[in-house]
Amino acid sequence: LDLPVLAELNGSKPNDLLSGLGLLGAWADFEQESPSSWKRYDSQPASLLFEKAGITDTIYEELVSPLLHVLPMCPAYDCSAAAALSCFHVF
């Protein structure tokens, strides 16, 4: 999750970059090795997680969407929040 803060994303505005911080709570709460954590986050689509976190469209298009196409290999509406958070633990 430090990528939105550290990266220079095609002239992104500070509020776009800071919107990535909205995922910190879920990212910190998600335990990659815990079946109960997977169960809790698997029940919602990643797109809902990003909406609740306040991720801006710019950060979604420039960073989140490309990351999801690398590991889970799917768009956010077709990916669970657990799979997305697991992906972010790798990056």
Side-chain angles (χ1 to χ4, degrees):
L1 292 174
D2 59 343
L3 288 174
V5 176
L6 299 176
E8 291 183 32
L9 298 170
N10 296 334
S12 298
K13 297 177 184 172
N15 66 320
D16 289 323
L17 297 173
L18 291 174
S19 76
L21 296 175
L23 286 174
L24 281 179
W27 182 80
D29 181 56
F30 181 72
E31 297 177 35
Q32 206 164 2
E33 304 298 323
S34 166
S36 65
S37 193
W38 274 88
K39 185 177 180 180
R40 184 170 56 254
Y41 284 99
D42 242 354
S43 64
Q44 65 176 308
S47 56
L48 181 61
L49 174 69
F50 302 141
E51 184 181 318
K52 287 179 181 178
I55 300 297
T56 64
D57 291 341
T58 301
I59 291 300
Y60 179 80
E61 293 298 325
E62 296 289 327
L63 183 72
V64 173
S65 182
L67 287 175
L68 293 179
H69 281 94
V70 171
L71 276 183
M73 297 182 188
C74 60
Y77 64 83
D78 203 24
C79 179
S80 76
L85 290 169
S86 178
C87 170
F88 295 152
H89 273 269
V90 173
F91 292 109

XYZ file of all heavy atoms in Angstrom:
693
model
N 0.812 -1.200 0.000
C 0.000 0.000 0.000
C 0.847 1.252 0.000
O 0.311 2.334 -0.126
C -0.936 -0.006 1.194
C -2.026 -1.063 1.141
C -2.805 -1.091 2.440
C -2.941 -0.851 -0.017
N 2.123 1.103 0.139
C 2.967 2.277 0.065
C 3.147 2.749 -1.374
O 3.527 3.876 -1.615
C 4.321 2.019 0.698
C 5.081 0.869 0.048
O 4.450 0.071 -0.667
O 6.288 0.762 0.285
N 2.804 1.910 -2.338
C 2.952 2.296 -3.732
C 2.215 3.576 -4.096
O 2.779 4.426 -4.768
C 2.505 1.153 -4.662
C 3.435 -0.046 -4.722
C 2.803 -1.155 -5.548
C 4.778 0.336 -5.271
N 0.951 3.763 -3.677
C 0.285 5.015 -4.036
C 0.960 6.238 -3.442
O 0.923 7.306 -4.028
C -1.124 4.870 -3.451
C -1.315 3.439 -3.227
C 0.053 2.857 -2.988
N 1.586 6.083 -2.300
C 2.220 7.218 -1.648
C 3.581 7.506 -2.271
O 3.954 8.656 -2.464
C 2.366 6.957 -0.129
C 3.111 8.085 0.552
C 0.984 6.783 0.494
N 4.335 6.472 -2.610
C 5.687 6.649 -3.105
C 5.782 6.816 -4.625
O 6.731 7.394 -5.125
C 6.554 5.450 -2.690
C 6.693 5.242 -1.184
C 7.493 3.972 -0.908
C 7.346 6.436 -0.534
N 4.830 6.310 -5.342
C 4.898 6.319 -6.800
C 4.504 7.673 -7.360
O 3.720 8.401 -6.796
C 3.972 5.244 -7.361
N 5.083 7.994 -8.488
C 4.649 9.164 -9.239
C 3.744 8.623 -10.337
O 4.201 8.045 -11.306
C 5.842 9.891 -9.834
C 6.715 10.556 -8.797
C 7.860 11.323 -9.426
O 7.705 11.847 -10.543
O 8.914 11.379 -8.787
N 2.464 8.817 -10.183
C 1.489 8.214 -11.082
C 0.911 9.251 -12.040
O -0.104 9.865 -11.774
C 0.366 7.555 -10.272
C 0.806 6.414 -9.372
C -0.318 6.005 -8.449
C 1.253 5.245 -10.213
N 1.584 9.465 -13.144
C 1.091 10.327 -14.224
C 0.449 11.618 -13.735
O -0.663 11.951 -14.104
C 0.103 9.564 -15.102
C 0.756 8.403 -15.811
O 1.955 8.418 -16.052
N -0.013 7.401 -16.147
N 1.121 12.317 -12.883
C 0.617 13.599 -12.413
C -0.552 13.512 -11.459
O -1.370 14.419 -11.392
N -0.642 12.437 -10.717
C -1.738 12.286 -9.759
C -1.683 13.392 -8.719
O -0.618 13.820 -8.295
C -1.659 10.936 -9.054
O -1.793 9.902 -9.976
N -2.839 13.815 -8.300
C -2.935 14.856 -7.284
C -2.711 14.235 -5.909
O -2.925 13.039 -5.718
C -4.313 15.503 -7.351
C -4.555 16.202 -8.669
C -5.948 16.765 -8.736
C -6.152 17.373 -10.115
N -7.530 17.776 -10.324
N -2.306 15.052 -4.931
C -2.070 14.512 -3.584
C -3.276 13.776 -3.008
O -3.112 12.742 -2.356
C -1.735 15.754 -2.753
C -1.146 16.707 -3.746
C -1.905 16.455 -5.030
N -4.492 14.277 -3.246
C -5.668 13.586 -2.702
C -5.846 12.209 -3.334
O -6.335 11.291 -2.698
C -6.943 14.422 -2.829
C -7.363 14.633 -4.261
O -6.534 14.858 -5.136
N -8.654 14.594 -4.503
N -5.431 12.048 -4.597
C -5.477 10.729 -5.224
C -4.500 9.789 -4.524
O -4.845 8.664 -4.176
C -5.117 10.814 -6.707
C -6.185 11.477 -7.546
O -7.378 11.269 -7.254
O -5.832 12.199 -8.488
N -3.285 10.266 -4.331
C -2.267 9.438 -3.690
C -2.661 9.079 -2.264
O -2.501 7.943 -1.828
C -0.920 10.164 -3.704
C -0.351 10.453 -5.093
C 0.891 11.315 -4.979
C -0.047 9.169 -5.840
N -3.203 10.034 -1.532
C -3.598 9.784 -0.151
C -4.803 8.858 -0.033
O -5.007 8.236 1.011
C -3.876 11.103 0.565
C -2.634 11.963 0.819
C -3.024 13.318 1.398
C -1.653 11.253 1.732
N -5.582 8.731 -1.092
C -6.753 7.849 -1.021
C -6.351 6.392 -0.805
O -7.130 5.599 -0.279
C -7.628 7.989 -2.264
O -7.065 7.333 -3.384
N -5.130 6.038 -1.178
C -4.635 4.684 -0.950
C -4.547 4.338 0.531
O -4.610 3.169 0.913
N -4.433 5.364 1.362
C -4.351 5.130 2.801
C -5.656 4.582 3.369
O -5.660 3.981 4.436
C -3.966 6.423 3.527
C -2.578 6.965 3.184
C -2.353 8.307 3.877
C -1.496 5.972 3.551
N -6.755 4.759 2.645
C -8.036 4.247 3.098
C -8.084 2.724 3.197
O -8.945 2.166 3.877
N -7.152 2.059 2.538
C -7.101 0.591 2.587
C -6.285 0.057 3.767
O -6.275 -1.143 4.013
C -6.493 0.043 1.293
C -7.373 0.094 0.064
C -6.580 -0.338 -1.162
C -8.578 -0.801 0.245
N -5.616 0.936 4.480
C -4.733 0.472 5.555
C -5.439 -0.359 6.617
O -4.897 -1.362 7.082
C -4.026 1.649 6.212
C -2.835 2.203 5.460
C -2.246 3.395 6.208
C -1.771 1.150 5.239
N -6.633 0.038 7.007
C -7.360 -0.709 8.043
C -7.632 -2.135 7.618
O -7.348 -3.088 8.360
N -8.172 -2.307 6.423
C -8.472 -3.653 5.923
C -7.180 -4.443 5.690
O -7.102 -5.634 6.001
C -9.278 -3.573 4.637
N -6.173 -3.777 5.152
C -4.899 -4.436 4.875
C -4.269 -4.933 6.177
O -3.780 -6.058 6.250
C -3.966 -3.479 4.149
C -2.652 -4.075 3.781
C -2.383 -4.886 2.721
C -1.416 -3.916 4.486
N -1.051 -5.237 2.718
C -0.441 -4.647 3.791
C -1.051 -3.217 5.626
C 0.883 -4.707 4.205
C 0.274 -3.279 6.037
C 1.221 -4.017 5.325
N -4.313 -4.112 7.227
C -3.742 -4.501 8.516
C -4.580 -5.597 9.192
O -4.045 -6.457 9.880
C -3.632 -3.287 9.438
N -5.897 -5.565 8.982
C -6.793 -6.547 9.596
C -6.723 -7.909 8.911
O -6.932 -8.936 9.548
C -8.231 -6.014 9.539
C -9.221 -6.962 10.170
O -9.032 -7.320 11.351
O -10.199 -7.342 9.483
N -6.410 -7.922 7.629
C -6.406 -9.172 6.862
C -5.167 -9.988 7.192
O -4.041 -9.552 7.023
C -6.439 -8.864 5.365
C -6.451 -10.089 4.504
C -7.584 -10.880 4.425
C -5.336 -10.454 3.778
C -7.600 -12.015 3.630
C -5.349 -11.588 2.975
C -6.481 -12.364 2.905
N -5.398 -11.208 7.691
C -4.306 -12.133 7.992
C -4.275 -13.187 6.900
O -5.170 -14.029 6.811
C -4.512 -12.767 9.356
C -4.491 -11.771 10.495
C -4.781 -12.435 11.825
O -4.366 -13.587 12.035
O -5.441 -11.775 12.648
N -3.260 -13.131 6.090
C -3.170 -13.976 4.902
C -3.227 -15.472 5.197
O -3.721 -16.240 4.393
C -1.886 -13.634 4.152
C -1.957 -13.939 2.702
C -0.854 -13.250 1.935
O -0.009 -12.568 2.474
N -0.869 -13.431 0.645
N -2.762 -15.887 6.341
C -2.733 -17.313 6.695
C -3.941 -17.756 7.519
O -4.006 -18.900 7.941
C -1.446 -17.625 7.465
C -0.173 -17.240 6.737
C 0.006 -17.983 5.427
O -0.348 -19.177 5.353
O 0.505 -17.370 4.472
N -4.893 -16.861 7.737
C -6.029 -17.156 8.600
C -7.294 -17.489 7.799
O -7.800 -16.638 7.073
C -6.314 -15.948 9.501
O -7.566 -16.066 10.118
N -7.820 -18.705 7.936
C -9.062 -19.057 7.241
C -10.231 -18.140 7.613
O -11.053 -17.802 6.753
C -9.330 -20.493 7.683
C -7.990 -21.037 8.057
C -7.246 -19.865 8.636
N -10.299 -17.715 8.865
C -11.407 -16.830 9.259
C -11.284 -15.459 8.599
O -12.289 -14.843 8.253
C -11.480 -16.697 10.778
O -10.337 -16.066 11.289
N -10.073 -15.002 8.417
C -9.853 -13.724 7.731
C -10.272 -13.833 6.265
O -10.924 -12.946 5.726
C -8.378 -13.334 7.852
O -8.186 -12.000 7.482
N -9.905 -14.928 5.623
C -10.319 -15.149 4.238
C -11.843 -15.216 4.139
O -12.440 -14.636 3.241
C -9.690 -16.432 3.683
C -8.328 -16.181 3.135
C -7.153 -16.213 3.820
C -8.009 -15.830 1.790
N -6.119 -15.908 2.980
C -6.604 -15.678 1.724
C -8.750 -15.651 0.630
C -5.939 -15.342 0.555
C -8.087 -15.315 -0.545
C -6.698 -15.164 -0.575
N -12.459 -15.922 5.075
C -13.918 -16.051 5.059
C -14.593 -14.685 5.211
O -15.559 -14.373 4.511
C -14.372 -16.992 6.181
C -15.842 -17.282 6.176
C -16.198 -18.270 7.269
C -17.690 -18.554 7.248
N -18.080 -19.500 8.287
N -14.065 -13.865 6.099
C -14.640 -12.544 6.356
C -14.547 -11.644 5.122
O -15.499 -10.967 4.754
C -13.928 -11.903 7.554
C -14.483 -10.585 7.993
C -13.905 -10.097 9.311
N -12.445 -9.989 9.337
C -11.628 -10.836 9.969
N -12.116 -11.860 10.631
N -10.317 -10.660 9.951
N -13.411 -11.645 4.452
C -13.216 -10.751 3.307
C -13.629 -11.371 1.975
O -13.821 -10.653 0.998
C -11.760 -10.271 3.249
C -11.469 -9.215 4.289
C -10.852 -9.545 5.491
C -11.836 -7.896 4.076
C -10.596 -8.579 6.450
C -11.587 -6.925 5.028
C -10.969 -7.269 6.211
O -10.717 -6.305 7.159
N -13.756 -12.700 1.931
C -14.188 -13.359 0.694
C -15.652 -13.070 0.365
O -16.073 -13.229 -0.774
C -13.997 -14.873 0.797
C -13.029 -15.408 -0.226
O -12.591 -14.637 -1.095
O -12.718 -16.605 -0.167
N -16.407 -12.652 1.348
C -17.847 -12.447 1.149
C -18.183 -11.137 0.442
O -19.339 -10.904 0.114
C -18.567 -12.492 2.504
O -18.139 -11.421 3.316
N -17.194 -10.288 0.211
C -17.478 -9.029 -0.480
C -16.561 -8.859 -1.684
O -15.426 -9.308 -1.665
C -17.346 -7.845 0.469
C -15.945 -7.597 0.995
C -15.877 -6.358 1.855
O -16.300 -5.289 1.458
N -15.351 -6.510 3.067
N -17.051 -8.208 -2.725
C -16.197 -7.971 -3.892
C -15.151 -6.899 -3.578
O -15.377 -6.009 -2.752
C -17.169 -7.489 -4.966
C -18.349 -6.964 -4.220
C -18.407 -7.721 -2.930
N -14.029 -6.999 -4.237
C -12.966 -6.016 -4.044
C -13.446 -4.612 -4.410
O -13.050 -3.638 -3.773
C -11.749 -6.397 -4.872
N -14.313 -4.516 -5.398
C -14.808 -3.196 -5.804
C -15.509 -2.492 -4.645
O -15.371 -1.273 -4.468
C -15.742 -3.314 -7.014
O -16.802 -4.205 -6.748
N -16.232 -3.242 -3.814
C -16.895 -2.660 -2.648
C -15.862 -2.208 -1.607
O -15.999 -1.139 -1.010
C -17.877 -3.659 -2.030
C -18.656 -3.185 -0.814
C -19.519 -1.979 -1.158
C -19.534 -4.314 -0.290
N -14.834 -3.006 -1.410
C -13.758 -2.632 -0.491
C -13.122 -1.312 -0.928
O -12.901 -0.422 -0.109
C -12.701 -3.740 -0.445
C -11.436 -3.443 0.365
C -11.751 -3.378 1.854
C -10.378 -4.488 0.079
N -12.837 -1.170 -2.215
C -12.210 0.049 -2.719
C -13.151 1.246 -2.595
O -12.717 2.349 -2.273
C -11.778 -0.121 -4.175
C -10.829 -1.267 -4.387
C -10.926 -2.064 -5.505
C -9.842 -1.575 -3.456
C -10.066 -3.123 -5.708
C -8.973 -2.634 -3.642
C -9.088 -3.408 -4.773
N -14.419 1.011 -2.816
C -15.409 2.083 -2.676
C -15.481 2.548 -1.217
O -15.450 3.747 -0.938
C -16.776 1.587 -3.136
C -17.859 2.625 -3.121
C -19.185 2.051 -3.574
O -19.205 1.267 -4.545
O -20.206 2.387 -2.951
N -15.568 1.596 -0.289
C -15.623 1.936 1.142
C -14.351 2.653 1.596
O -14.396 3.517 2.467
C -15.815 0.680 1.991
C -17.187 0.081 1.927
C -17.233 -1.161 2.805
C -18.566 -1.849 2.797
N -18.546 -3.077 3.629
N -13.218 2.270 1.026
C -11.936 2.856 1.413
C -11.743 4.255 0.843
O -10.869 4.990 1.292
C -10.789 1.949 0.970
N -12.529 4.608 -0.152
C -12.413 5.939 -0.744
C -11.332 6.066 -1.802
O -10.845 7.160 -2.069
N -10.976 4.957 -2.421
C -9.969 4.984 -3.482
C -10.499 5.828 -4.639
O -11.608 5.606 -5.116
C -9.670 3.550 -3.982
C -9.137 2.682 -2.857
C -8.724 3.553 -5.172
C -7.832 3.130 -2.278
N -9.700 6.782 -5.098
C -10.140 7.630 -6.207
C -10.064 6.854 -7.524
O -9.346 5.858 -7.641
C -9.278 8.897 -6.325
O -7.933 8.528 -6.634
C -9.335 9.736 -5.060
N -10.809 7.338 -8.505
C -10.795 6.696 -9.824
C -9.388 6.686 -10.421
O -8.991 5.717 -11.069
C -11.749 7.411 -10.780
C -13.200 7.213 -10.409
O -13.513 6.261 -9.663
O -14.044 8.016 -10.864
N -8.631 7.755 -10.189
C -7.271 7.833 -10.734
C -6.396 6.732 -10.179
O -5.707 6.031 -10.920
C -6.650 9.207 -10.426
O -7.463 10.221 -11.010
C -5.239 9.315 -10.958
N -6.403 6.555 -8.871
C -5.576 5.508 -8.250
C -6.070 4.130 -8.655
O -5.275 3.220 -8.894
C -5.539 5.659 -6.714
C -4.752 6.903 -6.346
C -4.947 4.436 -6.030
C -3.310 6.910 -6.816
N -7.375 3.993 -8.766
C -7.912 2.708 -9.205
C -7.400 2.371 -10.605
O -6.900 1.276 -10.843
C -9.444 2.700 -9.177
C -9.980 1.382 -9.650
C -10.005 0.295 -8.801
C -10.391 1.200 -10.966
C -10.433 -0.943 -9.235
C -10.825 -0.029 -11.412
C -10.844 -1.095 -10.559
O -11.258 -2.318 -11.000
N -7.534 3.305 -11.522
C -7.152 3.051 -12.925
C -5.645 2.923 -13.113
O -5.190 2.106 -13.907
C -7.690 4.170 -13.829
C -9.191 4.199 -13.921
C -9.779 2.934 -14.527
O -9.154 2.337 -15.430
O -10.871 2.541 -14.090
N -4.874 3.723 -12.385
C -3.429 3.757 -12.589
C -2.659 2.715 -11.774
O -1.549 2.362 -12.137
C -2.878 5.155 -12.257
C -3.394 6.245 -13.157
C -2.837 6.152 -14.564
O -1.678 5.712 -14.732
O -3.575 6.514 -15.496
N -3.220 2.254 -10.665
C -2.471 1.357 -9.791
C -3.225 0.085 -9.414
O -2.738 -1.021 -9.629
C -2.067 2.110 -8.508
C -1.218 1.310 -7.537
C 0.184 1.134 -8.091
C -1.163 1.999 -6.200
N -4.418 0.225 -8.857
C -5.145 -0.931 -8.327
C -5.543 -1.904 -9.437
O -5.270 -3.102 -9.350
C -6.381 -0.475 -7.517
C -7.226 -1.662 -7.115
C -5.944 0.322 -6.300
N -6.171 -1.404 -10.469
C -6.619 -2.280 -11.549
C -5.464 -3.045 -12.192
O -5.560 -4.264 -12.380
C -7.396 -1.478 -12.593
O -7.877 -2.320 -13.605
N -4.346 -2.382 -12.526
C -3.216 -3.149 -13.085
C -2.680 -4.218 -12.124
O -2.309 -5.310 -12.566
C -2.159 -2.076 -13.356
C -2.932 -0.821 -13.558
C -4.096 -0.934 -12.612
N -2.647 -3.912 -10.814
C -2.170 -4.917 -9.856
C -3.088 -6.133 -9.830
O -2.624 -7.275 -9.747
C -2.068 -4.320 -8.454
C -0.915 -3.349 -8.199
C -1.024 -2.759 -6.796
C 0.429 -4.022 -8.392
N -4.394 -5.883 -9.883
C -5.345 -7.003 -9.860
C -5.262 -7.845 -11.128
O -5.554 -9.032 -11.098
C -6.770 -6.491 -9.666
C -7.069 -5.865 -8.309
C -8.512 -5.389 -8.263
C -6.789 -6.841 -7.179
N -4.866 -7.242 -12.222
C -4.738 -8.007 -13.460
C -3.464 -8.855 -13.487
O -3.315 -9.725 -14.326
C -4.802 -7.081 -14.670
C -6.197 -6.686 -15.004
N -6.767 -5.526 -14.542
C -7.152 -7.304 -15.723
C -8.002 -5.442 -14.962
N -8.272 -6.517 -15.682
N -2.542 -8.608 -12.532
C -1.303 -9.384 -12.479
C -1.477 -10.661 -11.658
O -1.195 -11.743 -12.126
C -0.153 -8.534 -11.887
C 1.078 -9.381 -11.621
C 0.184 -7.396 -12.823
N -1.947 -10.539 -10.407
C -2.025 -11.734 -9.563
C -3.371 -12.434 -9.615
O -3.442 -13.553 -10.106
C -1.638 -11.402 -8.126
C -0.135 -11.413 -7.877
C 0.185 -11.147 -6.419
C 0.486 -12.723 -8.278
N -4.451 -11.836 -9.145
C -5.700 -12.593 -9.237
C -6.213 -12.680 -10.673
O -7.053 -13.501 -10.986
C -6.690 -11.829 -8.356
C -6.016 -10.612 -7.890
C -4.619 -10.621 -8.370
N -5.660 -11.838 -11.537
C -6.006 -11.839 -12.971
C -7.491 -11.635 -13.226
O -8.113 -12.392 -13.981
C -5.515 -13.112 -13.643
C -4.032 -13.265 -13.624
S -3.561 -14.757 -14.504
C -1.840 -14.814 -14.123
N -8.054 -10.624 -12.567
C -9.461 -10.323 -12.783
C -9.751 -8.882 -12.386
O -8.994 -8.287 -11.624
C -10.341 -11.279 -11.982
S -10.069 -11.218 -10.208
N -10.834 -8.337 -12.898
C -11.232 -6.987 -12.484
C -11.800 -7.009 -11.064
O -12.200 -8.056 -10.551
C -12.303 -6.598 -13.500
C -12.839 -7.885 -14.008
C -11.714 -8.880 -13.925
N -11.854 -5.848 -10.441
C -12.272 -5.747 -9.038
C -13.681 -6.262 -8.789
O -13.956 -6.831 -7.739
C -12.158 -4.304 -8.560
N -14.591 -6.100 -9.759
C -15.967 -6.566 -9.555
C -16.058 -8.082 -9.563
O -17.020 -8.659 -9.094
C -16.923 -5.960 -10.588
C -16.640 -6.381 -12.011
C -17.123 -7.587 -12.514
C -15.899 -5.572 -12.858
C -16.861 -7.990 -13.812
C -15.641 -5.952 -14.170
C -16.114 -7.162 -14.631
O -15.850 -7.549 -15.919
N -15.034 -8.756 -10.089
C -15.037 -10.215 -10.195
C -14.021 -10.852 -9.236
O -13.715 -12.024 -9.349
C -14.724 -10.611 -11.635
C -15.217 -11.982 -12.006
O -16.163 -12.471 -11.363
O -14.648 -12.575 -12.937
N -13.525 -10.061 -8.305
C -12.474 -10.491 -7.389
C -12.955 -10.257 -5.958
O -13.567 -9.238 -5.667
C -11.232 -9.636 -7.674
S -9.802 -9.960 -6.665
N -12.671 -11.181 -5.078
C -13.072 -10.965 -3.683
C -12.110 -9.978 -3.025
O -10.959 -9.817 -3.449
C -13.080 -12.282 -2.906
O -11.767 -12.690 -2.591
N -12.591 -9.344 -1.982
C -11.738 -8.432 -1.216
C -10.545 -9.193 -0.633
O -9.438 -8.662 -0.566
C -12.546 -7.759 -0.118
N -10.764 -10.449 -0.249
C -9.674 -11.268 0.302
C -8.576 -11.479 -0.732
O -7.386 -11.357 -0.419
C -10.215 -12.613 0.780
N -8.949 -11.792 -1.964
C -7.951 -12.005 -3.017
C -7.182 -10.720 -3.298
O -5.969 -10.748 -3.500
C -8.623 -12.526 -4.281
N -7.883 -9.583 -3.305
C -7.219 -8.300 -3.543
C -6.248 -7.978 -2.413
O -5.106 -7.574 -2.656
C -8.257 -7.193 -3.689
N -6.687 -8.155 -1.167
C -5.812 -7.868 -0.033
C -4.605 -8.801 -0.015
O -3.495 -8.393 0.317
C -6.593 -7.966 1.277
C -7.610 -6.844 1.491
C -8.523 -7.178 2.668
C -6.924 -5.510 1.697
N -4.807 -10.047 -0.394
C -3.700 -10.988 -0.485
C -2.704 -10.510 -1.535
O -1.486 -10.574 -1.332
C -4.231 -12.376 -0.838
O -3.166 -13.285 -0.978
N -3.222 -10.023 -2.639
C -2.367 -9.479 -3.708
C -1.550 -8.308 -3.175
O -0.362 -8.201 -3.445
C -3.276 -9.033 -4.857
S -2.465 -8.088 -6.164
N -2.179 -7.432 -2.393
C -1.476 -6.262 -1.877
C -0.433 -6.634 -0.836
O 0.521 -5.893 -0.629
C -2.470 -5.262 -1.295
C -3.402 -4.678 -2.325
C -4.648 -4.253 -1.964
C -3.030 -4.573 -3.657
C -5.521 -3.711 -2.900
C -3.883 -4.040 -4.598
C -5.127 -3.611 -4.223
N -0.582 -7.796 -0.182
C 0.452 -8.246 0.740
C 1.726 -8.609 -0.027
O 2.820 -8.475 0.494
C -0.031 -9.449 1.562
C -0.755 -9.077 2.797
N -0.135 -8.904 4.002
C -2.067 -8.803 3.023
C -1.014 -8.567 4.917
N -2.194 -8.498 4.349
N 1.559 -9.056 -1.277
C 2.713 -9.413 -2.104
C 3.419 -8.165 -2.602
O 4.639 -8.078 -2.613
C 2.267 -10.283 -3.303
C 3.414 -10.533 -4.264
C 1.713 -11.608 -2.789
N 2.626 -7.169 -3.030
C 3.207 -5.939 -3.567
C 3.541 -5.000 -2.450
O 4.077 -4.025 -2.521
C 2.272 -5.275 -4.560
C 2.104 -6.071 -5.814
C 0.912 -6.721 -6.078
C 3.129 -6.171 -6.727
C 0.750 -7.452 -7.247
C 2.973 -6.898 -7.893
C 1.788 -7.542 -8.156
